[in-house]
Amino acid sequence: MSGYLTTHVLDTARGCPAQGLQIDLYRLEGEVRTHLKTLSTNADGRTDEQILPADVFEVGTYELVFHAGAYLDASGVPAESPRFLDVIPLRFGMSEASHYHVPLLLSPFGYSTYRGS
């Protein structure tokens, strides 16, 4: 079995998937941070393709950067200056060839994540 990476973003304040949220994927090797891909969420709060598909999967340390502020702006959430949550970086390790699912539960003033299935 080869590994791959997916996500799902839910807007817990509105009770719906977070559509149109930009996500950047980085690979970290020591102090070097390499941008691999930029995707956006669809109407179901997922990306249309795997973030890191099996054919390019490698174990290692990665970072998903969720552009929450731009999403909250576009969804009509009144903006404070500066916005409490703007860019949310999630750093995590993938140690084996497996399905890694890293969801984000988002509201204007908090978020949570976990390793899903």
Side-chain angles (χ1 to χ4, degrees):
M1 175 172 144
S2 294
Y4 60 100
L5 174 63
T6 59
T7 192
H8 190 196
V9 184
L10 297 173
D11 182 331
T12 58
R14 295 178 25 196
C16 63
Q19 180 177 7
L21 192 143
Q22 181 181 314
I23 304 166
D24 291 309
L25 173 66
Y26 294 87
R27 180 172 172 84
L28 289 88
E29 297 178 272
E31 296 300 315
V32 177
R33 184 175 178 248
T34 304
H35 181 261
L36 301 178
K37 185 183 277 189
T38 298
L39 299 154
S40 290
T41 54
N42 59 25
D44 192 36
R46 301 173 189 273
T47 57
D48 288 332
E49 60 188 70
Q50 294 170 348
I51 297 171
L52 192 63
D55 63 334
V56 294
F57 180 88
E58 292 182 60
V59 297
T61 303
Y62 291 85
E63 184 175 75
L64 286 172
V65 177
F66 296 87
H67 295 270
Y71 163 78
L72 294 168
D73 290 345
S75 64
V77 174
E80 347 53 78
S81 184
R83 188 174 278 289
F84 180 69
L85 291 177
D86 186 17
V87 176
I88 300 171
L90 295 179
R91 219 171 254 196
F92 57 95
M94 298 191 292
S95 60
E96 62 183 345
S98 177
H99 177 198
Y100 286 83
H101 184 67
V102 181
L104 183 73
L105 305 177
L106 174 66
S107 77
F109 298 102
Y111 67 91
S112 65
T113 190
Y114 54 93
R115 181 175 174 186
S117 57

